[in-house]
Amino acid sequence: MAEFSMGQALNRALRDALAADPSVVVYGEDVGPLGGVFRVTDGLTAEFGEDRVFDSPLAESGIVGTAVGMAMYGRRPVVEMQFDAFGYPAFEQVVSHVAKMRNRTRGRVGLPLVIRIPYGGGIGAVEHHGDSSEMYYAHTPGLHVVTPATPADAYSLLREAIEDPDPVVFLEPKRRYWTKAEVDLPVRTEPMDRAVVRRTGTDVTLIAYGPMVDTVLEAAEAAREEGCAAEVVDLRSLSPFDDQTVTASVRRTGRAVVVHEAATFGGYGAEVAARVTEQCFHYLEAPVLRVGGFDIPYPPPELEEYHLPSVDRILGAIDRLQWESEWTAESPAVPGRRSEVGV
Amino acid sequence: MAEFSMGQALNRALRDALAADPSVVVYGEDVGPLGGVFRVTDGLTAEFGEDRVFDSPLAESGIVGTAVGMAMYGRRPVVEMQFDAFGYPAFEQVVSHVAKMRNRTRGRVGLPLVIRIPYGGGIGAVEHHGDSSEMYYAHTPGLHVVTPATPADAYSLLREAIEDPDPVVFLEPKRRYWTKAEVDLPVRTEPMDRAVVRRTGTDVTLIAYGPMVDTVLEAAEAAREEGCAAEVVDLRSLSPFDDQTVTASVRRTGRAVVVHEAATFGGYGAEVAARVTEQCFHYLEAPVLRVGGFDIPYPPPELEEYHLPSVDRILGAIDRLQWESEWTAESPAVPGRRSEVGV
Amino acid sequence: MKRTDVRPGSAPPLPPVEPIRLVDPDGRRVSDPAYTAPDHGTLLALLRAMIIGRRFDRQASALTRQGRLAVYPSSYGQEACQVGGVLALADNDWLFPTYRDSVSLVTRGVDPIEVLTLLRGDWHSGYDPERHRCAPQCTPLATNASHAVGLTYAARRKGEDTAALVLMGDGATSEGDAHEAYNFAAVWNTPVVFLIQNNHWAISVPVHKQSVAPTLAHKAIGYGMRGHHVDGNDAAAVHAVVSHALAEARAGSGPAIIEARTYRMGPHTNSDAPQRYRDDSEVEYWKERDPLARLERLLRDEGRIDDSELERIRAQADRLAATMRERLSAAGRLAPEELFSHVYASTPALLARQRQELLDELEA
Amino acid sequence: MKRTDVRPGSAPPLPPVEPIRLVDPDGRRVSDPAYTAPDHGTLLALLRAMIIGRRFDRQASALTRQGRLAVYPSSYGQEACQVGGVLALADNDWLFPTYRDSVSLVTRGVDPIEVLTLLRGDWHSGYDPERHRCAPQCTPLATNASHAVGLTYAARRKGEDTAALVLMGDGATSEGDAHEAYNFAAVWNTPVVFLIQNNHWAISVPVHKQSVAPTLAHKAIGYGMRGHHVDGNDAAAVHAVVSHALAEARAGSGPAIIEARTYRMGPHTNSDAPQRYRDDSEVEYWKERDPLARLERLLRDEGRIDDSELERIRAQADRLAATMRERLSAAGRLAPEELFSHVYASTPALLARQRQELLDELEA
Ligand SMILES: Cc1ncc(C[n+]2csc(CCOP(=O)(O)OP(=O)(O)O)c2C)c(N)n1
Ligand SMILES: Cc1ncc(C[n+]2csc(CCOP(=O)(O)OP(=O)(O)O)c2C)c(N)n1
Ligand SMILES: [Mg+2]
Ligand SMILES: [Mg+2]
């Protein structure tokens, strides 16, 4: 066993995929000699040559569009959008072509391509470098959307994404690039479309993905000290959603909080809350609560700590899960200071 | 009182806005002499001249980008994206600039601009002409997102959108362009940020917006014949969401179904279900159900009838609202044929 | 010292403002310093394909008026581009057509009924792209141009000399995606030829509102590639210029942009109302420059075709049209549950449940 | 008959492959057929602004190394563009800078501390765009170019002769948004000058991977506008060419693209590692072409400046640097609840509730 950061595990996954399959190509902005601004592609051009790993012109729609063409012709392109907000120029290509090509051609042309996107905040970066864009993709049928929370998953999910016959939007939680773990690479973890219980507990299910999994695990640890046994589910796949694992947990615990960085309104937590409630309605002791980013543009670095879900905010949500039937007809929504969704 | 279609009411709103405020300009693809592919801008170039209403080069990002610049300099541009899917090329401008300019400049530069987008299906159009893109915008803080369901609202909301100091994504339900109603123009209906109860009822709240309001009203009529008194809420504003009107209704009825054309997964219905549940948890007799499009790319014309929410499908959802405490621990989710969200 | 400059050599020449022409509107040969007309066999093939293409187009328009197609964007008047471009392709080349280019697909050998699938509304794209080496017809403007760049890049990496022809309209050149694709092609030196059919209109917007450059082919110079400007109603010239550009591209001399000046004789689609934005006299002007008439005249004058041969071709075209009608009527309807079949390679649980729900609903 | 053609006249000339230069790297005047150098007053102003700009830049880099700015993209080496472009603007013109262009803002008169707000991370943009007629610094590449087109279009409609200068990098020219903005400007004939600072690198990607055209200014021809190619380390030439292009644009002769050849002497930002992708010898090559040195030499040689005057300017620059440090330390921190203040003109209920929640949390 050796220690790998998530960035290193991703690098290794790309290297192993390039070595295993000659049809894999890696390109984008600065992924060549520089090795990417987060060094995820470090050393790959040197090892596999400019034909396999290279810098393209600076144009995201062109990057994704050419990847569509390559995938139509049997290549497996893995392209990078340098930051979340810089994936937006490619949005039309993603929604109108990447997600639809197989369907448009009645199954004849599939697109085995991967779009890697570092996403989320927490690294003190300036504007446009902290967006959480997962919902734009997760709401688009025809895409797989996955996001690892651990180095082992980073490796395994990326390998699987590259091997998948369909396009995968691969979201990399940039604040976790440097998080290390002991892991034996190469490793294959659970299949790409499955959620995983990271910690078992009986009182409440905490649901998270990507950058928030570690935060939620911390919150669970803190909750334990207050006598609350929280179960933690790491979704891993945002599309498709693993109903089975999540509902099994929530039916056991009867309470759930879903946590993410993205704006709460219309965020991924809405889908989780809606479907979990529909499937677990009579098991629920309290409404599924959401702890997300505020409904504001991603803030400047000096203020991001106030915006991002924190351990305290997660504990606060757990507190509001109506533990002692505080509810009365006069204070109908949620007792205590918060009357509303939104954080 | 005269009869106006929604298209005519929108046309009249643009005309009155152009007449009332010299800073209003209308431009886009084919909005000039042709009057737009749906004739919403019919006659405006003739009346106000090419300086005020004109055809631009064919480039959506350029259209929105120039509108940002005009709005920075005191104009009130009203631009059109010809169809929902053709708004995607402008996505970066919308998310990174339109939605953020006021915030980026610490309140100094607001953008009073309107982006009109015909959206949704039901008109037998080929691919890329039937997308329901509302969630991409509604999840983006800094935008207002509104959508009328009646000619009167079409007029009033568009006037208000143009007068608003902030950017408004104005979604026009294209299948309802030709729907007529008796209305006295000019008219001002309820304020832009308020939902409206279109039909009162005591048994269940049906929540819809834009193209689905008429369908839901039909369903309510059909339900009445089966003895179920459905209340119908027309949201009108998707962002912000009018919690007060919606929760007041659901607390009265104890049951809710939210209906839209967009893919159900991560659709606007998820937000509605999540927040309504959080605010009305102890009033709910059953989970809030969603009736939306399937989670597939928008289908070809021959199959769209199977995809779009129908009166029957809405009635089916009402039936599944656990009217007679059918629920048992053995059939935990929803009794009857459907075990899941998703239609 | 390593220098990292742009300029790899001298600039390619500017395209001529007067389009290249090999046959004038009266069917007389025009001499050109750089191009010679295709041989008679090719000219006959061009005429034949144009006659069949126009008949297909007329039939599709008629079927649309009868409500049997959802929509049809006609290429009436643009046959020289549709046919001249496609017949210049080698078998292993790829074609990237738009919604406007059904005739190019028929010329390429795609079954007309499969071409009409999109427009009939049965499914999005009805033919097998790989079999015909034709990408699905593309509606989001200019978005398929970069696909062609990626595809030929991939082919070159496999050691193949596959080139691609991208069809696009004058309006589409204003889109950012056009620019990105031109530039990727030039920088990667992939064998792609971008054929801009300047039919003077983007729905209701005239081309002078899209660009104020001398020609649309002038864009090429900004990417360091060759630009060509050709009479788009002269099938011989289109064929010659596209062939030349494809050969150059295949040989590694770089991609090219070709502007073909032509005209959309009909409405944008059947549901358009061109009287709102253009004068009939403009259509009359272009009628005199018809691509079929001029090539027919040339071949007649040079004794290469006669009435009976023309009759034979027209009869063949009529038979095709009749079959279109019949086969369209006979075509079965799709099973609704196919909605779920092609979203992913294998159907996820969520879609399997939704399919079951639909089936239950249909049974009820 | 109404014709709807592109070509409104003759093509503008191609930009020269050799950049326009008025002062050579050794500080000697170079004669140019089309441009004369600015007068001595202007040359002195250019030198002065470059000295101050470079000092600002050096201080900002130092503050970043000390962790007092979140990030700083230096324009060290590009001062002739930063200053030559801005000093060519009239008071009522607008500037559209990028993250790279802090020195251009300081030159324009924006308070250095307000410029640093973005990079310190207190807020996104720290100055009042309207007061200074400077758009907020733009990070999403090429997206501000169309803003300039819209803004000048609006100004023209008000009867004003406001022009705009858009700053963009060589890499940004590959984006679709650059193309769309160039084209809108040309078709609408709005007075915008696009100044491309070709500093040879887009982070780690050399410009020859962005374009294989003879110059980046060659793009202009495809839009029917003038392209200029200028030595971007020659402040006199940049000033002359930008002034000329602005005057033409203001007079209605159309927008222009200027490529200024310069070099990014430092890393992309403080967190970049240029040794991974470029050779030090390249930096050495450009050090000999320093924009400050050559103008200083010229003005010395021509007796327009001496040691004591230079000392005065440098002392002023040092004072500015010292104030930057002090004022940055003194600057108060923002109230967290300002997060909610500028999302909309008036705060919707949802945000008011979230603000209250945050306040409660902070009190707890
Ligand atoms: C991205 C995008 N925006 C808008 C449209 C709507 N639209 C369809 S065809 C058309 C005009 C295209 O003109 P041109 O490129 O000249 O091609 P033509 O139809 O003349 O063949 C427009 C605006 C579209 N299909 N895609
Ligand atoms: C749309 C977009 N894509 C990617 C980036 C990330 N990025 C920031 S700077 C940069 C390089 C820009 O190079 P250039 O345009 O030459 O400007 P320079 O930094 O050299 O001044 C990149 C890729 C971005 N800011 N915006
Ligand atoms: Mg056209
Ligand atoms: Mg650069």
Side-chain angles (χ1 to χ4, degrees):
Chain A
M1 293 268 252
E3 224 184 28
F4 287 94
S5 70
M6 183 180 288
Q8 289 167 330
L10 291 165
N11 178 265
R12 179 69 185 275
L14 289 170
R15 220 167 79 205
D16 290 354
L18 282 157
D21 181 351
S23 68
V24 174
V25 288
V26 173
Y27 66 101
E29 297 158 9
D30 305 293
V31 300
L34 180 63
V37 296
F38 292 108
R39 305 292 181 268
V40 170
T41 54
D42 190 27
L44 299 180
T45 294
E47 187 168 345
F48 298 96
E50 282 261 8
D51 275 5
R52 308 272 316 273
V53 183
F54 53 96
D55 292 322
S56 70
L58 206 173
E60 293 77 9
S61 188
I63 290 170
V64 174
T66 51
V68 167
M70 289 191 203
M72 285 174 74
Y73 212 70
R75 296 261 134 180
R76 292 184 176 262
V78 182
V79 297
E80 177 179 303
M81 307 281 99
Q82 198 162 87
F83 282 86
D84 24 52
F86 308 143
Y88 304 150
F91 199 63
E92 180 185 33
Q93 285 289 350
V94 172
V95 177
S96 292
H97 289 297
V98 174
K100 290 181 177 164
M101 185 66 81
R102 181 184 295 282
N103 192 58
R104 294 176 65 215
T105 58
R106 218 171 163 182
R108 293 185 185 104
V109 180
L111 296 179
L113 63 86
V114 176
I115 303 176
R116 295 179 38 243
I117 313 180
Y119 81 121
I123 63 163
V126 298
E127 56 172 359
H128 311 292
H129 292 76
D131 285 21
S132 289
S133 46
E134 66 267 28
M135 198 53 172
Y136 301 134
Y137 304 110
H139 178 49
T140 304
L143 302 175
H144 291 304
V145 183
V146 302
T147 179
T150 68
D153 261 2
Y155 180 91
S156 183
L157 291 175
L158 185 51
R159 289 297 307 271
E160 207 180 331
I162 295 171
E163 288 158 6
D164 200 273
D166 285 308
V168 179
V169 174
F170 192 89
L171 297 168
E172 303 174 1
K174 61 174 96 87
R175 67 196 292 190
R176 305 297 178 197
Y177 272 137
W178 302 273
T179 304
K180 296 204 167 193
E182 291 284 325
V183 50
D184 242 342
L185 294 186
V187 68
R188 292 295 176 126
T189 57
E190 296 77 3
M192 190 169 83
D193 59 357
R194 301 231 64 87
V196 160
V197 175
R198 293 272 173 230
R199 177 190 176 111
T200 55
T202 50
D203 297 334
V204 56
T205 302
L206 304 178
I207 304 164
Y209 53 87
M212 279 292 119
V213 172
D214 276 358
T215 310
V216 159
L217 283 167
E218 256 185 84
E221 189 57 32
R224 197 187 55 85
E225 283 157 27
E226 294 175 15
C228 169
E231 178 145 314
V232 174
V233 179
D234 172 3
L235 294 178
R236 303 166 81 249
S237 172
L238 304 187
S239 178
F241 179 87
D242 179 359
D243 284 300
Q244 234 177 326
T245 304
V246 177
T247 57
S249 172
V250 176
R251 287 181 188 168
R252 265 196 313 271
T253 62
R255 287 177 171 88
V257 178
V258 50
V259 182
H260 56 63
E261 289 190 13
T264 304
F265 192 87
Y268 194 78
E271 178 60 40
V272 175
R275 63 193 304 113
V276 164
T277 304
E278 183 165 349
Q279 296 174 61
C280 308
F281 189 66
H282 294 278
Y283 295 93
L284 285 173
E285 308 286 342
V288 176
L289 295 184
R290 294 181 279 168
V291 178
F294 295 117
D295 293 309
I296 59 174
Y298 196 83
E302 284 296 325
L303 298 181
E304 67 181 342
E305 64 177 298
Y306 302 105
H307 174 69
L308 292 171
S310 59
V311 167
D312 274 356
R313 219 168 268 172
I314 297 164
L315 293 175
I318 296 176
D319 276 351
R320 287 179 291 115
L321 285 171
Q322 308 181 19
W323 295 97
E324 315 169 59
S325 6
E326 301 142 320
W327 180 83
T328 69
E330 276 63 54
S331 57
V334 177
R337 62 192 169 86
R338 296 181 193 223
S339 63
E340 232 270 330
V341 203
V343 179
Chain B
M1 292 270 251
E3 224 184 30
F4 287 93
S5 69
M6 182 179 290
Q8 289 166 331
L10 292 166
N11 178 264
R12 178 70 183 277
L14 289 171
R15 220 167 77 206
D16 292 354
L18 282 157
D21 181 350
S23 69
V24 175
V25 290
V26 173
Y27 67 100
E29 297 158 9
D30 304 294
V31 300
L34 179 65
V37 296
F38 292 108
R39 304 293 180 268
V40 169
T41 55
D42 191 26
L44 299 180
T45 294
E47 190 168 342
F48 298 96
E50 283 261 8
D51 274 6
R52 309 270 318 272
V53 182
F54 53 95
D55 292 322
S56 70
L58 205 174
E60 293 78 10
S61 187
I63 290 170
V64 174
T66 51
V68 167
M70 289 191 202
M72 284 173 75
Y73 211 70
R75 297 261 134 180
R76 290 183 179 263
V78 183
V79 297
E80 177 179 304
M81 306 282 99
Q82 198 162 84
F83 283 86
D84 23 52
F86 308 143
Y88 303 151
F91 199 64
E92 180 185 32
Q93 285 288 350
V94 172
V95 177
S96 294
H97 289 296
V98 173
K100 292 181 176 163
M101 185 66 80
R102 182 184 293 282
N103 193 59
R104 293 176 65 214
T105 59
R106 216 169 163 184
R108 294 185 185 104
V109 180
L111 296 180
L113 63 86
V114 176
I115 304 175
R116 296 180 38 243
I117 314 180
Y119 80 119
I123 64 163
V126 298
E127 55 172 0
H128 310 294
H129 291 75
D131 284 21
S132 289
S133 45
E134 66 268 29
M135 198 54 172
Y136 300 133
Y137 304 111
H139 177 49
T140 303
L143 303 175
H144 291 304
V145 183
V146 302
T147 179
T150 69
D153 262 2
Y155 180 92
S156 182
L157 291 176
L158 185 51
R159 289 297 306 271
E160 208 179 331
I162 294 170
E163 289 158 5
D164 200 274
D166 285 308
V168 179
V169 173
F170 192 88
L171 296 168
E172 303 175 0
K174 60 175 94 90
R175 67 196 292 190
R176 305 296 178 198
Y177 273 136
W178 303 273
T179 302
K180 296 205 166 193
E182 291 284 326
V183 52
D184 244 342
L185 296 186
V187 69
R188 292 294 177 126
T189 58
E190 296 77 4
M192 191 170 83
D193 60 356
R194 301 231 63 87
V196 160
V197 174
R198 293 271 173 229
R199 177 190 177 111
T200 54
T202 49
D203 296 336
V204 57
T205 302
L206 305 179
I207 304 164
Y209 53 89
M212 280 291 118
V213 172
D214 277 359
T215 309
V216 159
L217 284 167
E218 256 186 83
E221 190 56 34
R224 198 189 53 86
E225 283 158 26
E226 294 176 16
C228 168
E231 179 145 311
V232 173
V233 179
D234 172 3
L235 294 179
R236 301 166 82 251
S237 172
L238 304 187
S239 178
F241 180 86
D242 178 359
D243 284 299
Q244 234 177 324
T245 305
V246 177
T247 56
S249 172
V250 176
R251 287 180 188 170
R252 267 195 312 274
T253 62
R255 286 178 172 87
V257 177
V258 50
V259 183
H260 57 63
E261 290 189 11
T264 303
F265 192 87
Y268 194 78
E271 179 59 40
V272 176
R275 63 193 302 112
V276 165
T277 303
E278 181 164 351
Q279 295 175 61
C280 308
F281 189 66
H282 294 277
Y283 295 93
L284 285 174
E285 308 286 340
V288 176
L289 295 184
R290 295 181 279 168
V291 179
F294 295 117
D295 294 308
I296 59 174
Y298 197 82
E302 283 296 324
L303 297 183
E304 67 180 343
E305 63 176 302
Y306 302 105
H307 174 69
L308 292 170
S310 60
V311 167
D312 275 355
R313 219 168 270 172
I314 297 165
L315 293 175
I318 297 176
D319 277 350
R320 287 179 291 116
L321 286 169
Q322 310 181 17
W323 295 99
E324 312 168 61
S325 7
E326 300 142 319
W327 180 82
T328 68
E330 276 63 54
S331 56
V334 178
R337 62 191 171 85
R338 295 181 193 225
S339 63
E340 232 272 328
V341 206
V343 178
Chain C
M1 198 216 59
K2 199 177 91 202
R3 282 283 296 290
T4 42
D5 255 331
V6 190
R7 58 226 97 237
S10 58
L14 283 178
V17 172
E18 275 311 303
I20 295 159
R21 176 180 283 172
L22 298 175
V23 181
D24 77 11
D26 297 324
R28 279 185 300 258
R29 288 187 185 259
V30 180
S31 78
D32 184 276
Y35 298 95
T36 47
D39 61 27
H40 278 117
T42 306
L43 291 178
L44 277 167
L46 289 166
L47 179 59
R48 190 180 162 278
M50 289 200 291
I51 292 172
I52 289 176
R54 181 169 288 181
R55 189 67 189 87
F56 164 90
D57 192 88
R58 191 149 57 88
Q59 182 70 315
S61 294
L63 291 166
T64 311
R65 276 191 303 277
Q66 295 157 24
R68 299 169 76 182
L69 296 181
V71 64
Y72 183 70
S74 159
S75 59
Y76 171 40
Q78 303 178 213
E79 293 87 352
C81 297
Q82 297 284 305
V83 159
V86 168
L87 293 188
L89 289 172
D91 278 354
N92 71 332
D93 289 341
W94 272 71
L95 177 70
F96 285 79
T98 76
Y99 56 90
R100 173 82 56 218
D101 305 308
S102 298
V103 167
S104 78
L105 286 163
V106 173
T107 305
R108 183 79 172 153
V110 180
D111 181 342
I113 296 299
E114 292 184 357
V115 172
L116 293 179
T117 302
L118 170 71
L119 306 159
R120 190 178 168 213
D122 291 336
W123 198 262
H124 306 297
S125 181
Y127 51 90
D128 182 349
E130 276 163 25
R131 184 164 152 230
H132 300 284
R133 301 206 149 215
C134 294
Q137 282 177 279
C138 183
T139 295
L141 295 165
T143 54
N144 58 344
S146 56
H147 303 173
V149 177
L151 186 140
T152 48
Y153 181 94
R156 208 182 46 181
R157 285 274 168 274
K158 289 186 184 170
E160 299 172 10
D161 72 343
T162 303
L165 181 68
V166 175
L167 300 179
M168 54 199 309
D170 45 299
T173 64
S174 295
E175 292 279 6
D177 269 33
H179 164 76
E180 297 189 12
Y182 299 156
N183 194 46
F184 271 74
V187 172
W188 289 356
N189 190 12
T190 55
V192 179
V193 172
F194 302 96
L195 179 60
I196 302 168
Q197 295 176 75
N198 173 4
N199 64 6
H200 285 73
W201 292 95
I203 307 186
S204 70
V205 183
V207 64
H208 64 78
K209 290 193 181 167
Q210 300 296 344
S211 176
V212 292
T215 77
L216 297 174
H218 273 69
K219 291 181 194 296
I221 193 86
Y223 305 101
M225 57 167 140
R226 275 297 296 276
H228 306 270
H229 183 212
V230 64
D231 181 339
N233 282 15
D234 176 354
V238 173
H239 187 274
V241 173
V242 174
S243 299
H244 171 81
L246 283 169
E248 281 206 334
R250 217 178 264 117
S253 309
I257 294 177
I258 303 172
E259 173 188 354
R261 291 192 67 218
T262 180
Y263 194 75
R264 193 194 76 208
M265 298 296 288
H268 172 70
T269 68
N270 49 293
S271 64
D272 186 30
Q275 68 284 1
R276 283 179 166 248
Y277 54 81
R278 77 182 185 187
D279 210 286
D280 272 354
S281 64
E282 203 181 274
V283 182
E284 290 309 316
Y285 173 89
W286 283 94
K287 220 170 226 163
E288 288 157 27
R289 283 150 187 81
D290 187 83
L292 275 69
R294 76 169 80 172
L295 193 54
E296 181 185 325
R297 185 115 167 227
L298 176 107
L299 288 167
R300 268 187 200 278
D301 288 353
E302 298 186 351
R304 300 296 175 159
I305 203 166
D306 57 15
D307 283 346
S308 74
E309 176 59 14
L310 277 167
E311 261 330 298
R312 252 196 309 280
I313 300 173
R314 295 209 174 97
Q316 195 194 344
D318 286 339
R319 274 196 306 279
L320 174 99
T323 348
M324 278 165 70
R325 180 184 302 275
E326 284 157 30
R327 289 180 55 207
L328 217 52
S329 310
R333 296 196 54 166
L334 290 178
E337 65 270 27
E338 198 175 332
L339 282 176
F340 303 95
S341 306
H342 315 297
V343 186
Y344 298 95
S346 52
T347 307
L350 176 68
L351 291 189
R353 279 194 300 268
Q354 293 184 358
R355 183 179 53 206
Q356 193 52 51
E357 286 162 17
L358 178 63
L359 289 172
D360 291 349
E361 212 177 85
L362 293 172
E363 262 176 30
Chain D
M1 198 217 58
K2 197 179 91 200
R3 283 281 298 288
T4 43
D5 255 330
V6 189
R7 58 228 94 236
S10 58
L14 283 178
V17 171
E18 275 311 304
I20 295 159
R21 173 180 286 172
L22 299 175
V23 181
D24 77 10
D26 298 323
R28 282 183 296 258
R29 287 188 184 260
V30 179
S31 77
D32 184 276
Y35 297 95
T36 46
D39 60 28
H40 278 116
T42 307
L43 292 178
L44 277 167
L46 289 167
L47 179 60
R48 190 181 163 277
M50 288 199 291
I51 292 171
I52 290 177
R54 180 168 290 181
R55 188 66 188 86
F56 165 90
D57 193 89
R58 193 149 55 92
Q59 182 70 316
S61 294
L63 291 165
T64 311
R65 275 191 304 276
Q66 295 157 22
R68 299 169 75 180
L69 297 180
V71 65
Y72 183 69
S74 159
S75 60
Y76 171 39
Q78 303 180 211
E79 292 87 352
C81 298
Q82 297 285 305
V83 160
V86 168
L87 293 188
L89 289 171
D91 277 354
N92 70 333
D93 290 340
W94 272 71
L95 176 70
F96 285 80
T98 75
Y99 54 90
R100 171 82 56 219
D101 305 309
S102 298
V103 168
S104 79
L105 287 162
V106 172
T107 306
R108 182 82 173 149
V110 180
D111 180 342
I113 297 298
E114 292 185 357
V115 174
L116 293 180
T117 302
L118 170 72
L119 305 160
R120 190 179 167 212
D122 290 338
W123 198 264
H124 305 298
S125 181
Y127 50 91
D128 181 349
E130 277 162 26
R131 182 163 156 232
H132 299 284
R133 301 206 148 214
C134 294
Q137 284 177 279
C138 184
T139 296
L141 296 166
T143 54
N144 59 343
S146 56
H147 303 173
V149 177
L151 185 139
T152 48
Y153 181 95
R156 210 182 44 181
R157 285 272 168 274
K158 290 187 184 171
E160 300 171 9
D161 72 343
T162 304
L165 181 68
V166 175
L167 300 179
M168 54 198 309
D170 45 299
T173 65
S174 295
E175 292 279 6
D177 268 33
H179 164 77
E180 298 189 13
Y182 299 155
N183 193 46
F184 271 74
V187 171
W188 288 357
N189 190 12
T190 54
V192 180
V193 172
F194 302 96
L195 179 60
I196 302 168
Q197 295 177 76
N198 173 5
N199 65 6
H200 286 74
W201 293 94
I203 308 185
S204 70
V205 183
V207 64
H208 64 77
K209 289 193 181 169
Q210 299 295 344
S211 175
V212 292
T215 78
L216 296 173
H218 273 70
K219 291 181 194 296
I221 193 86
Y223 304 101
M225 57 167 140
R226 276 297 297 275
H228 306 271
H229 182 212
V230 63
D231 181 337
N233 283 14
D234 176 354
V238 172
H239 187 275
V241 172
V242 173
S243 299
H244 170 82
L246 282 168
E248 282 207 334
R250 219 179 261 118
S253 308
I257 294 177
I258 302 172
E259 173 187 353
R261 290 192 68 215
T262 180
Y263 194 75
R264 194 194 77 208
M265 297 296 288
H268 172 69
T269 69
N270 51 293
S271 65
D272 186 29
Q275 68 284 1
R276 284 180 166 248
Y277 55 79
R278 76 181 186 189
D279 210 287
D280 272 355
S281 64
E282 205 180 273
V283 183
E284 289 310 315
Y285 172 89
W286 284 94
K287 221 169 226 164
E288 287 157 29
R289 282 147 189 81
D290 187 82
L292 274 69
R294 78 170 80 174
L295 193 54
E296 179 185 325
R297 184 116 167 227
L298 176 107
L299 288 167
R300 269 187 199 275
D301 289 354
E302 298 186 352
R304 300 295 175 159
I305 203 166
D306 57 15
D307 283 343
S308 74
E309 175 62 12
L310 277 167
E311 261 331 297
R312 254 197 308 279
I313 300 173
R314 294 210 174 98
Q316 195 193 346
D318 286 339
R319 275 195 305 278
L320 174 99
T323 347
M324 278 166 70
R325 180 185 303 275
E326 284 157 30
R327 290 181 55 207
L328 217 53
S329 309
R333 294 198 54 165
L334 290 178
E337 63 271 28
E338 198 174 333
L339 282 177
F340 303 95
S341 307
H342 315 298
V343 186
Y344 299 95
S346 51
T347 307
L350 176 67
L351 291 189
R353 278 194 300 269
Q354 293 183 359
R355 184 179 51 207
Q356 194 52 53
E357 287 162 16
L358 178 63
L359 289 172
D360 292 348
E361 213 177 83
L362 292 171
E363 264 176 27

